[in-house]
Amino acid sequence: MQLNVDMNRFARETAQGPMPPEQVATLAAPAPSAIEVLWELAVAHTREKSPASFDQWFAGVQFDDLTDGVLSLRARDEFVRQWVDDYFVPTLAEQLRAHTGLSIQVRWTIAGALERPVSSPAASFAPVGPKPLTLRTPAPDSVKPAAFLAVASVHVPRAAALPIDGMNTKYTFANFVVGPSNQLAHAASMAAAGVNGRRHNPLFICGGTGLGKTHLVHAIAYRVREERPDARIVYISAERFVNEFVQALTDQRMNDFRSRYRERCDLLLVDDIHFLAGKTQTQEEFFHAFNALHQASKQIVVTSDKYPQQLDKMEERLVSRFQWGLVADIHAPELETRVAIIRKKAQLENIELPDDVCLYVAQSVRSNVRELEGTLIRLAAKASLLQKPVELAFARTEMALAGATRPNEASVDDIQRLVCHHFKLRSTDLLSKDRHKSIAFARHVAMYLCKQRLKCSFPELGRAFGNRDHTTVISAVRKVDALRAVDPDVRAHIEALERKLGAVE
Ligand code: ADP
Ligand code: MG
């Protein structure tokens, strides 16, 4: 099948033809070219490494061009150039080299004022951490809702929604694929946004990285703004909360800081609360903000990579408050959900994708949705650069070259090693006759993972686990399967192992 993923063509096409009036303003900027997509991928990766300082420095940098391995950047002044050159360019160049196969040289221009800085200078409410594929254009003043502090970057929206500063316009409920793995968190988020269902306060959304927590939080904000345009919504990552708190202390602006979180707020969304671990003074501050808002019946939504009771170095009174409302967990999506997510992403990014490629990617990348999405975008960008269609053979080759997850390539040995490492056991423990509870549990989990992941029969597995009978393996697999359904701790262990397996395959 001949498919077209020429992003420049899409850019031209989206700029033409009739479109609904509400989209005209937001679609004025062209869709990203393949080069811009590569640049944004490299930026996203680099930002992920230093989320807190990236925006600060890249507010003084502009991307001009990438041609024949020459990356043209513009810096506001020599100081910014030097810093970015020293601390960020090596990662950026390495990323671009990995995607293009070219060694990258950087050509700098010193420019004074910049028209299109990579980051917003006032990113005080921008999400911290990996950012989605976006292009940045100056936000027209008219679209800035007063309830949000200014962040001068907007995503190029293809949806009708106007951007909320610091949030991704694509992270809406409409773009969220619901499956068994995230059903509860999705329903609870809809309820928190006042759509339907009982509202829980706080709503604590937890799950591994890249599973859609931030997406849901943005979706809540967009929905609330749609329903109640005057609502004062405050979205902040815990990391930025810490930074702002420290800054407010230093500048003696605590009254202002407190009033923002305790009084001038109808909906508080705090992303990645686990970042507060060990930061006792900030926890104390957050505790009071929490109490004030909760007492005033203002909705609070918090995300975390762990269950409340598993949060390290977190004050007990905070942990207990996190459980006052609803704890909604998100798990790694099942195959069907992964396929649906890839379809949705391809549709949003205007990438035509044959069903067999869709299935191949979904089977290969299992650990998290961000990786799934990254694989899709990389495939499309590479195909566009090489002017090739995204066909199955192409996808197989490219994913193998990129070291993306390859299905069914882990061995029994790999899984046993991983499980031992995870449960801190010796490599011989799994094969021994030791029936100690923790060893037996690890052994059962290893058998379960082998059965799930590898094409081994029960007798083969029995032999690989110290010559055990196949009925032992069958009962172990059943037991773990049943426990996984009812016991969150067991589920958390298995998902952590599955994520690690995703990375080693
Ligand atoms: P987290 O905050 O849990 O680390 P994100 O919310 O940043 O994860 O999600 C990572 C990427 O995966 C985002 O681009 C998001 O849109 C996408 N994603 C995750 N879950 C889903 C889903 N169920 N449907 C559609 N996209 C999803
Ligand atoms: Mg997140």
Side-chain angles (χ1 to χ4, degrees), residues 171 175-177 182 208-215 341 345 369-370 373:
Y171 289 3
N175 290 343
F176 191 83
V177 175
N182 57 33
T209 181
L211 294 183
K213 302 183 295 296
T214 298
H215 187 138
I341 290 174
K345 296 287 171 192
V369 182
R370 187 175 295 125
E373 197 171 60

Side-chain angles (χ1 to χ4, degrees), residues 133 142 285 294:
L133 199 60
S142 57
E285 195 55 40
H294 198 272

